[in-house]
Amino acid sequence: MLRQMRLCRRPARGGLPLDVGVVVSNVGTAFAVCEAVRDGKPLIERVVTVTGRGIKNPSNFLVKIGTPIADLVEQAGGTAGSISRLIMGGPMMGIALSSFDLPVVKGTSGLLLMTEEQDSKADYLPCIKCASCVRACPMHLLPSTLSVIAEAQTWELAERYGVSDCIECGCCAFVCPSKRPIVQLIKTTKSKLRKIRENRE
Ligand code: SF4
Ligand code: SF4
């Protein structure tokens, strides 16, 4: 008889997957670990996807860490249209970069060039309390409330609403009809809370 397997493991609030014996890694990291252990090769290069409506020929490149982002953009045919944002990572969880002169770092898995046309910032509207984000949240949080707390800059209130449990998956922002930048607002809240804690120490 097959033994019943324990399929669902949840770390305690504020804990890490490692607490329940799990390491979560993306394919790139797993491959880098393999090369380091098997071949003794340090992380000196990585695959970077350059994509978005703001690039002429979206492409994947295997590049050395430290390669200027401007060189990758040039290799991908250059920019198309007026660029409003350069994002390192995906559209929902990525980090906005301030310049094309920055280098590829070990966490640069992708570069997204958004044009002014598609930039949702312009369409950012107030919350209409539809609760779509609440239904979408895998961590059972209240993303709408967290976003309003961030706008009100009442950072410490966010702790009571479990902001540290947010895994920044982006599901809430994806379903939001008001196109609210919920993940960015949550990231800002976390960063402010970190600074508040540091100042207390
Ligand atoms: S980004 Fe955070 S708040 Fe939004 S759905 Fe994911 S876990 Fe929930
Ligand atoms: S999905 Fe957007 S509009 Fe709807 S409750 Fe959430 S934040 Fe508000």
Side-chain angles (χ1 to χ4, degrees), residues 92-93 132-144 146 162-163 165-175 182-184 186 190:
M92 292 185 290
M93 292 177 62
S132 296
C133 58
V134 179
R135 284 192 292 275
C137 180
M139 298 303 290
H140 308 294
L141 299 174
L142 297 173
S144 48
L146 289 172
V163 71
D165 289 343
C166 170
I167 56 172
E168 298 174 17
C169 64
C171 295
C172 51
F174 185 74
V175 298
I182 305 173
V183 185
Q184 292 303 328
I186 286 175
K190 285 182 176 175

PDB file of all heavy atoms in Angstrom, residues 92-93 132-144 146 162-163 165-175 182-184 186 190, ligand 1:
ATOM      1  N   MET A  92       5.498  42.493 -13.320  1.00  0.00           N
ATOM      2  CA  MET A  92       4.807  42.633 -12.039  1.00  0.00           C
ATOM      3  C   MET A  92       5.752  42.701 -10.849  1.00  0.00           C
ATOM      4  O   MET A  92       5.489  43.363  -9.858  1.00  0.00           O
ATOM      5  CB  MET A  92       3.829  41.475 -11.865  1.00  0.00           C
ATOM      6  CG  MET A  92       2.689  41.559 -12.845  1.00  0.00           C
ATOM      7  SD  MET A  92       1.445  40.333 -12.598  1.00  0.00           S
ATOM      8  CE  MET A  92       2.264  38.842 -13.082  1.00  0.00           C
ATOM      9  N   MET A  93       6.871  41.984 -10.935  1.00  0.00           N
ATOM     10  CA  MET A  93       7.770  41.934  -9.784  1.00  0.00           C
ATOM     11  C   MET A  93       9.105  42.603 -10.038  1.00  0.00           C
ATOM     12  O   MET A  93       9.977  42.619  -9.167  1.00  0.00           O
ATOM     13  CB  MET A  93       8.037  40.470  -9.406  1.00  0.00           C
ATOM     14  CG  MET A  93       6.825  39.776  -8.859  1.00  0.00           C
ATOM     15  SD  MET A  93       7.189  38.075  -8.532  1.00  0.00           S
ATOM     16  CE  MET A  93       8.449  38.212  -7.295  1.00  0.00           C
ATOM     17  N   SER A 132     -11.095  41.539  -6.267  1.00  0.00           N
ATOM     18  CA  SER A 132     -10.427  40.587  -7.166  1.00  0.00           C
ATOM     19  C   SER A 132      -9.041  40.234  -6.638  1.00  0.00           C
ATOM     20  O   SER A 132      -8.607  39.083  -6.707  1.00  0.00           O
ATOM     21  CB  SER A 132     -10.284  41.186  -8.563  1.00  0.00           C
ATOM     22  OG  SER A 132     -11.528  41.397  -9.124  1.00  0.00           O
ATOM     23  N   CYS A 133      -8.332  41.244  -6.126  1.00  0.00           N
ATOM     24  CA  CYS A 133      -6.975  40.996  -5.626  1.00  0.00           C
ATOM     25  C   CYS A 133      -6.996  40.089  -4.404  1.00  0.00           C
ATOM     26  O   CYS A 133      -6.098  39.263  -4.224  1.00  0.00           O
ATOM     27  CB  CYS A 133      -6.285  42.316  -5.305  1.00  0.00           C
ATOM     28  SG  CYS A 133      -7.170  43.315  -4.100  1.00  0.00           S
ATOM     29  N   VAL A 134      -8.020  40.232  -3.576  1.00  0.00           N
ATOM     30  CA  VAL A 134      -8.125  39.406  -2.362  1.00  0.00           C
ATOM     31  C   VAL A 134      -8.325  37.945  -2.763  1.00  0.00           C
ATOM     32  O   VAL A 134      -7.701  37.038  -2.219  1.00  0.00           O
ATOM     33  CB  VAL A 134      -9.300  39.897  -1.474  1.00  0.00           C
ATOM     34  CG1 VAL A 134      -9.426  39.034  -0.233  1.00  0.00           C
ATOM     35  CG2 VAL A 134      -9.106  41.366  -1.110  1.00  0.00           C
ATOM     36  N   ARG A 135      -9.182  37.734  -3.748  1.00  0.00           N
ATOM     37  CA  ARG A 135      -9.419  36.360  -4.211  1.00  0.00           C
ATOM     38  C   ARG A 135      -8.168  35.770  -4.858  1.00  0.00           C
ATOM     39  O   ARG A 135      -7.917  34.574  -4.779  1.00  0.00           O
ATOM     40  CB  ARG A 135     -10.579  36.333  -5.210  1.00  0.00           C
ATOM     41  CG  ARG A 135     -11.944  36.465  -4.549  1.00  0.00           C
ATOM     42  CD  ARG A 135     -13.065  36.150  -5.535  1.00  0.00           C
ATOM     43  NE  ARG A 135     -13.178  37.155  -6.586  1.00  0.00           N
ATOM     44  CZ  ARG A 135     -13.868  38.287  -6.475  1.00  0.00           C
ATOM     45  NH1 ARG A 135     -14.539  38.540  -5.381  1.00  0.00           N
ATOM     46  NH2 ARG A 135     -13.907  39.154  -7.455  1.00  0.00           N
ATOM     47  N   ALA A 136      -7.355  36.619  -5.486  1.00  0.00           N
ATOM     48  CA  ALA A 136      -6.178  36.112  -6.211  1.00  0.00           C
ATOM     49  C   ALA A 136      -4.977  35.847  -5.302  1.00  0.00           C
ATOM     50  O   ALA A 136      -4.076  35.100  -5.675  1.00  0.00           O
ATOM     51  CB  ALA A 136      -5.767  37.123  -7.288  1.00  0.00           C
ATOM     52  N   CYS A 137      -4.963  36.452  -4.135  1.00  0.00           N
ATOM     53  CA  CYS A 137      -3.751  36.381  -3.303  1.00  0.00           C
ATOM     54  C   CYS A 137      -3.536  34.980  -2.722  1.00  0.00           C
ATOM     55  O   CYS A 137      -4.353  34.493  -1.935  1.00  0.00           O
ATOM     56  CB  CYS A 137      -3.831  37.400  -2.173  1.00  0.00           C
ATOM     57  SG  CYS A 137      -2.368  37.350  -1.113  1.00  0.00           S
ATOM     58  N   PRO A 138      -2.416  34.327  -3.055  1.00  0.00           N
ATOM     59  CA  PRO A 138      -2.167  32.979  -2.533  1.00  0.00           C
ATOM     60  C   PRO A 138      -1.810  32.977  -1.047  1.00  0.00           C
ATOM     61  O   PRO A 138      -1.834  31.930  -0.410  1.00  0.00           O
ATOM     62  CB  PRO A 138      -0.970  32.501  -3.371  1.00  0.00           C
ATOM     63  CG  PRO A 138      -0.269  33.741  -3.787  1.00  0.00           C
ATOM     64  CD  PRO A 138      -1.336  34.782  -3.948  1.00  0.00           C
ATOM     65  N   MET A 139      -1.484  34.153  -0.512  1.00  0.00           N
ATOM     66  CA  MET A 139      -1.114  34.229   0.904  1.00  0.00           C
ATOM     67  C   MET A 139      -2.281  34.706   1.775  1.00  0.00           C
ATOM     68  O   MET A 139      -2.106  34.983   2.960  1.00  0.00           O
ATOM     69  CB  MET A 139       0.082  35.179   1.075  1.00  0.00           C
ATOM     70  CG  MET A 139       1.332  34.730   0.358  1.00  0.00           C
ATOM     71  SD  MET A 139       1.871  33.077   0.847  1.00  0.00           S
ATOM     72  CE  MET A 139       2.416  33.390   2.513  1.00  0.00           C
ATOM     73  N   HIS A 140      -3.463  34.805   1.186  1.00  0.00           N
ATOM     74  CA  HIS A 140      -4.681  35.209   1.915  1.00  0.00           C
ATOM     75  C   HIS A 140      -4.520  36.569   2.598  1.00  0.00           C
ATOM     76  O   HIS A 140      -4.965  36.764   3.726  1.00  0.00           O
ATOM     77  CB  HIS A 140      -5.081  34.134   2.936  1.00  0.00           C
ATOM     78  CG  HIS A 140      -5.171  32.763   2.327  1.00  0.00           C
ATOM     79  ND1 HIS A 140      -6.112  32.420   1.393  1.00  0.00           N
ATOM     80  CD2 HIS A 140      -4.397  31.665   2.493  1.00  0.00           C
ATOM     81  CE1 HIS A 140      -5.923  31.176   1.011  1.00  0.00           C
ATOM     82  NE2 HIS A 140      -4.882  30.690   1.654  1.00  0.00           N
ATOM     83  N   LEU A 141      -3.866  37.481   1.882  1.00  0.00           N
ATOM     84  CA  LEU A 141      -3.711  38.844   2.404  1.00  0.00           C
ATOM     85  C   LEU A 141      -4.805  39.744   1.829  1.00  0.00           C
ATOM     86  O   LEU A 141      -5.644  39.286   1.044  1.00  0.00           O
ATOM     87  CB  LEU A 141      -2.329  39.396   2.004  1.00  0.00           C
ATOM     88  CG  LEU A 141      -1.133  38.614   2.539  1.00  0.00           C
ATOM     89  CD1 LEU A 141       0.161  39.157   1.961  1.00  0.00           C
ATOM     90  CD2 LEU A 141      -1.076  38.652   4.052  1.00  0.00           C
ATOM     91  N   LEU A 142      -4.771  41.003   2.222  1.00  0.00           N
ATOM     92  CA  LEU A 142      -5.702  41.997   1.683  1.00  0.00           C
ATOM     93  C   LEU A 142      -4.880  43.002   0.870  1.00  0.00           C
ATOM     94  O   LEU A 142      -4.542  44.090   1.360  1.00  0.00           O
ATOM     95  CB  LEU A 142      -6.440  42.716   2.817  1.00  0.00           C
ATOM     96  CG  LEU A 142      -7.332  41.852   3.705  1.00  0.00           C
ATOM     97  CD1 LEU A 142      -7.867  42.662   4.872  1.00  0.00           C
ATOM     98  CD2 LEU A 142      -8.494  41.279   2.888  1.00  0.00           C
ATOM     99  N   PRO A 143      -4.540  42.657  -0.366  1.00  0.00           N
ATOM    100  CA  PRO A 143      -3.674  43.536  -1.164  1.00  0.00           C
ATOM    101  C   PRO A 143      -4.234  44.942  -1.320  1.00  0.00           C
ATOM    102  O   PRO A 143      -3.496  45.922  -1.310  1.00  0.00           O
ATOM    103  CB  PRO A 143      -3.572  42.824  -2.515  1.00  0.00           C
ATOM    104  CG  PRO A 143      -3.939  41.409  -2.234  1.00  0.00           C
ATOM    105  CD  PRO A 143      -4.904  41.441  -1.110  1.00  0.00           C
ATOM    106  N   SER A 144      -5.563  45.046  -1.463  1.00  0.00           N
ATOM    107  CA  SER A 144      -6.170  46.370  -1.639  1.00  0.00           C
ATOM    108  C   SER A 144      -5.876  47.234  -0.412  1.00  0.00           C
ATOM    109  O   SER A 144      -5.461  48.390  -0.531  1.00  0.00           O
ATOM    110  CB  SER A 144      -7.677  46.234  -1.840  1.00  0.00           C
ATOM    111  OG  SER A 144      -8.206  45.369  -0.857  1.00  0.00           O
ATOM    112  N   LEU A 146      -3.467  46.838   1.762  1.00  0.00           N
ATOM    113  CA  LEU A 146      -2.021  47.120   1.835  1.00  0.00           C
ATOM    114  C   LEU A 146      -1.641  48.259   0.891  1.00  0.00           C
ATOM    115  O   LEU A 146      -0.796  49.092   1.212  1.00  0.00           O
ATOM    116  CB  LEU A 146      -1.216  45.857   1.507  1.00  0.00           C
ATOM    117  CG  LEU A 146      -1.269  44.758   2.574  1.00  0.00           C
ATOM    118  CD1 LEU A 146      -0.612  43.481   2.060  1.00  0.00           C
ATOM    119  CD2 LEU A 146      -0.601  45.214   3.868  1.00  0.00           C
ATOM    120  N   GLY A 162      -0.035  41.960   7.804  1.00  0.00           N
ATOM    121  CA  GLY A 162       0.802  40.867   7.304  1.00  0.00           C
ATOM    122  C   GLY A 162       1.620  41.168   6.072  1.00  0.00           C
ATOM    123  O   GLY A 162       1.904  40.267   5.272  1.00  0.00           O
ATOM    124  N   VAL A 163       2.057  42.420   5.907  1.00  0.00           N
ATOM    125  CA  VAL A 163       2.791  42.768   4.683  1.00  0.00           C
ATOM    126  C   VAL A 163       4.053  41.912   4.488  1.00  0.00           C
ATOM    127  O   VAL A 163       4.442  41.605   3.370  1.00  0.00           O
ATOM    128  CB  VAL A 163       3.133  44.283   4.676  1.00  0.00           C
ATOM    129  CG1 VAL A 163       4.215  44.628   5.702  1.00  0.00           C
ATOM    130  CG2 VAL A 163       3.558  44.725   3.297  1.00  0.00           C
ATOM    131  N   ASP A 165       4.362  38.875   4.908  1.00  0.00           N
ATOM    132  CA  ASP A 165       4.033  37.562   4.331  1.00  0.00           C
ATOM    133  C   ASP A 165       3.853  37.620   2.819  1.00  0.00           C
ATOM    134  O   ASP A 165       3.706  36.583   2.171  1.00  0.00           O
ATOM    135  CB  ASP A 165       2.737  37.011   4.946  1.00  0.00           C
ATOM    136  CG  ASP A 165       2.932  36.599   6.384  1.00  0.00           C
ATOM    137  OD1 ASP A 165       4.097  36.427   6.796  1.00  0.00           O
ATOM    138  OD2 ASP A 165       1.935  36.445   7.102  1.00  0.00           O
ATOM    139  N   CYS A 166       3.836  38.827   2.264  1.00  0.00           N
ATOM    140  CA  CYS A 166       3.657  38.960   0.808  1.00  0.00           C
ATOM    141  C   CYS A 166       4.871  38.384   0.087  1.00  0.00           C
ATOM    142  O   CYS A 166       6.013  38.730   0.400  1.00  0.00           O
ATOM    143  CB  CYS A 166       3.475  40.431   0.452  1.00  0.00           C
ATOM    144  SG  CYS A 166       3.535  40.727  -1.322  1.00  0.00           S
ATOM    145  N   ILE A 167       4.635  37.510  -0.847  1.00  0.00           N
ATOM    146  CA  ILE A 167       5.737  36.873  -1.587  1.00  0.00           C
ATOM    147  C   ILE A 167       5.997  37.597  -2.921  1.00  0.00           C
ATOM    148  O   ILE A 167       6.761  37.113  -3.752  1.00  0.00           O
ATOM    149  CB  ILE A 167       5.452  35.379  -1.833  1.00  0.00           C
ATOM    150  CG1 ILE A 167       4.101  35.192  -2.562  1.00  0.00           C
ATOM    151  CG2 ILE A 167       5.482  34.591  -0.532  1.00  0.00           C
ATOM    152  CD1 ILE A 167       3.829  33.770  -3.016  1.00  0.00           C
ATOM    153  N   GLU A 168       5.331  38.723  -3.119  1.00  0.00           N
ATOM    154  CA  GLU A 168       5.542  39.576  -4.303  1.00  0.00           C
ATOM    155  C   GLU A 168       5.338  38.808  -5.612  1.00  0.00           C
ATOM    156  O   GLU A 168       6.076  38.960  -6.576  1.00  0.00           O
ATOM    157  CB  GLU A 168       6.931  40.231  -4.242  1.00  0.00           C
ATOM    158  CG  GLU A 168       7.057  41.135  -3.012  1.00  0.00           C
ATOM    159  CD  GLU A 168       8.444  41.704  -2.792  1.00  0.00           C
ATOM    160  OE1 GLU A 168       9.254  41.686  -3.734  1.00  0.00           O
ATOM    161  OE2 GLU A 168       8.711  42.179  -1.674  1.00  0.00           O
ATOM    162  N   CYS A 169       4.284  37.965  -5.606  1.00  0.00           N
ATOM    163  CA  CYS A 169       4.016  37.147  -6.788  1.00  0.00           C
ATOM    164  C   CYS A 169       3.396  37.965  -7.921  1.00  0.00           C
ATOM    165  O   CYS A 169       3.470  37.580  -9.085  1.00  0.00           O
ATOM    166  CB  CYS A 169       3.085  35.991  -6.430  1.00  0.00           C
ATOM    167  SG  CYS A 169       1.450  36.553  -5.891  1.00  0.00           S
ATOM    168  N   GLY A 170       2.727  39.067  -7.570  1.00  0.00           N
ATOM    169  CA  GLY A 170       2.151  39.938  -8.604  1.00  0.00           C
ATOM    170  C   GLY A 170       0.739  39.565  -9.029  1.00  0.00           C
ATOM    171  O   GLY A 170       0.165  40.235  -9.892  1.00  0.00           O
ATOM    172  N   CYS A 171       0.145  38.512  -8.435  1.00  0.00           N
ATOM    173  CA  CYS A 171      -1.207  38.103  -8.854  1.00  0.00           C
ATOM    174  C   CYS A 171      -2.210  39.236  -8.632  1.00  0.00           C
ATOM    175  O   CYS A 171      -3.110  39.449  -9.446  1.00  0.00           O
ATOM    176  CB  CYS A 171      -1.653  36.873  -8.064  1.00  0.00           C
ATOM    177  SG  CYS A 171      -0.665  35.429  -8.403  1.00  0.00           S
ATOM    178  N   CYS A 172      -2.070  39.945  -7.522  1.00  0.00           N
ATOM    179  CA  CYS A 172      -3.030  41.012  -7.203  1.00  0.00           C
ATOM    180  C   CYS A 172      -2.998  42.117  -8.261  1.00  0.00           C
ATOM    181  O   CYS A 172      -4.038  42.560  -8.746  1.00  0.00           O
ATOM    182  CB  CYS A 172      -2.743  41.576  -5.815  1.00  0.00           C
ATOM    183  SG  CYS A 172      -1.026  42.040  -5.560  1.00  0.00           S
ATOM    184  N   ALA A 173      -1.783  42.538  -8.618  1.00  0.00           N
ATOM    185  CA  ALA A 173      -1.654  43.619  -9.613  1.00  0.00           C
ATOM    186  C   ALA A 173      -2.170  43.152 -10.972  1.00  0.00           C
ATOM    187  O   ALA A 173      -2.764  43.928 -11.721  1.00  0.00           O
ATOM    188  CB  ALA A 173      -0.200  44.045  -9.713  1.00  0.00           C
ATOM    189  N   PHE A 174      -1.974  41.882 -11.282  1.00  0.00           N
ATOM    190  CA  PHE A 174      -2.385  41.344 -12.575  1.00  0.00           C
ATOM    191  C   PHE A 174      -3.905  41.420 -12.757  1.00  0.00           C
ATOM    192  O   PHE A 174      -4.395  41.725 -13.844  1.00  0.00           O
ATOM    193  CB  PHE A 174      -1.899  39.900 -12.713  1.00  0.00           C
ATOM    194  CG  PHE A 174      -2.164  39.301 -14.055  1.00  0.00           C
ATOM    195  CD1 PHE A 174      -1.410  39.671 -15.152  1.00  0.00           C
ATOM    196  CD2 PHE A 174      -3.182  38.379 -14.234  1.00  0.00           C
ATOM    197  CE1 PHE A 174      -1.660  39.126 -16.409  1.00  0.00           C
ATOM    198  CE2 PHE A 174      -3.446  37.828 -15.473  1.00  0.00           C
ATOM    199  CZ  PHE A 174      -2.678  38.208 -16.566  1.00  0.00           C
ATOM    200  N   VAL A 175      -4.654  41.144 -11.682  1.00  0.00           N
ATOM    201  CA  VAL A 175      -6.115  41.096 -11.827  1.00  0.00           C
ATOM    202  C   VAL A 175      -6.793  42.439 -11.552  1.00  0.00           C
ATOM    203  O   VAL A 175      -7.984  42.591 -11.809  1.00  0.00           O
ATOM    204  CB  VAL A 175      -6.738  40.022 -10.894  1.00  0.00           C
ATOM    205  CG1 VAL A 175      -6.232  38.639 -11.255  1.00  0.00           C
ATOM    206  CG2 VAL A 175      -6.480  40.340  -9.433  1.00  0.00           C
ATOM    207  N   ILE A 182       0.130  47.503  -7.103  1.00  0.00           N
ATOM    208  CA  ILE A 182       0.068  47.004  -5.721  1.00  0.00           C
ATOM    209  C   ILE A 182       1.420  46.460  -5.250  1.00  0.00           C
ATOM    210  O   ILE A 182       1.852  46.725  -4.131  1.00  0.00           O
ATOM    211  CB  ILE A 182      -1.025  45.906  -5.589  1.00  0.00           C
ATOM    212  CG1 ILE A 182      -2.363  46.455  -6.075  1.00  0.00           C
ATOM    213  CG2 ILE A 182      -1.146  45.434  -4.141  1.00  0.00           C
ATOM    214  CD1 ILE A 182      -3.474  45.424  -6.141  1.00  0.00           C
ATOM    215  N   VAL A 183       2.096  45.724  -6.131  1.00  0.00           N
ATOM    216  CA  VAL A 183       3.373  45.120  -5.700  1.00  0.00           C
ATOM    217  C   VAL A 183       4.413  46.207  -5.420  1.00  0.00           C
ATOM    218  O   VAL A 183       5.146  46.128  -4.435  1.00  0.00           O
ATOM    219  CB  VAL A 183       3.897  44.121  -6.752  1.00  0.00           C
ATOM    220  CG1 VAL A 183       5.136  43.417  -6.235  1.00  0.00           C
ATOM    221  CG2 VAL A 183       2.834  43.098  -7.091  1.00  0.00           C
ATOM    222  N   GLN A 184       4.448  47.209  -6.285  1.00  0.00           N
ATOM    223  CA  GLN A 184       5.403  48.298  -6.051  1.00  0.00           C
ATOM    224  C   GLN A 184       5.096  48.984  -4.727  1.00  0.00           C
ATOM    225  O   GLN A 184       6.002  49.336  -3.966  1.00  0.00           O
ATOM    226  CB  GLN A 184       5.347  49.327  -7.196  1.00  0.00           C
ATOM    227  CG  GLN A 184       5.853  48.809  -8.528  1.00  0.00           C
ATOM    228  CD  GLN A 184       7.284  48.284  -8.457  1.00  0.00           C
ATOM    229  OE1 GLN A 184       8.096  48.771  -7.697  1.00  0.00           O
ATOM    230  NE2 GLN A 184       7.581  47.246  -9.221  1.00  0.00           N
ATOM    231  N   ILE A 186       3.655  47.651  -2.131  1.00  0.00           N
ATOM    232  CA  ILE A 186       4.032  46.733  -1.044  1.00  0.00           C
ATOM    233  C   ILE A 186       5.554  46.721  -0.862  1.00  0.00           C
ATOM    234  O   ILE A 186       6.064  46.731   0.263  1.00  0.00           O
ATOM    235  CB  ILE A 186       3.478  45.316  -1.327  1.00  0.00           C
ATOM    236  CG1 ILE A 186       1.966  45.302  -1.094  1.00  0.00           C
ATOM    237  CG2 ILE A 186       4.165  44.268  -0.447  1.00  0.00           C
ATOM    238  CD1 ILE A 186       1.275  44.008  -1.448  1.00  0.00           C
ATOM    239  N   LYS A 190       7.605  47.623   2.543  1.00  0.00           N
ATOM    240  CA  LYS A 190       8.608  46.749   3.181  1.00  0.00           C
ATOM    241  C   LYS A 190       9.916  47.497   3.386  1.00  0.00           C
ATOM    242  O   LYS A 190      10.575  47.368   4.419  1.00  0.00           O
ATOM    243  CB  LYS A 190       8.849  45.510   2.313  1.00  0.00           C
ATOM    244  CG  LYS A 190       7.736  44.480   2.373  1.00  0.00           C
ATOM    245  CD  LYS A 190       8.136  43.313   1.515  1.00  0.00           C
ATOM    246  CE  LYS A 190       7.159  42.180   1.578  1.00  0.00           C
ATOM    247  NZ  LYS A 190       7.511  41.100   0.644  1.00  0.00           N
TER     248      LYS A 190
HETATM  249  S1  SF4 B   1       1.955  40.171  -4.491  1.00  0.00           S
HETATM  250 FE1  SF4 B   1       1.638  39.816  -2.275  1.00  0.00          FE
HETATM  251  S2  SF4 B   1      -0.330  40.721  -1.832  1.00  0.00           S
HETATM  252 FE2  SF4 B   1      -0.208  40.487  -4.070  1.00  0.00          FE
HETATM  253  S3  SF4 B   1      -1.151  38.507  -4.499  1.00  0.00           S
HETATM  254 FE3  SF4 B   1       1.037  38.116  -4.280  1.00  0.00          FE
HETATM  255  S4  SF4 B   1       1.313  37.598  -2.110  1.00  0.00           S
HETATM  256 FE4  SF4 B   1      -0.702  38.557  -2.298  1.00  0.00          FE
END
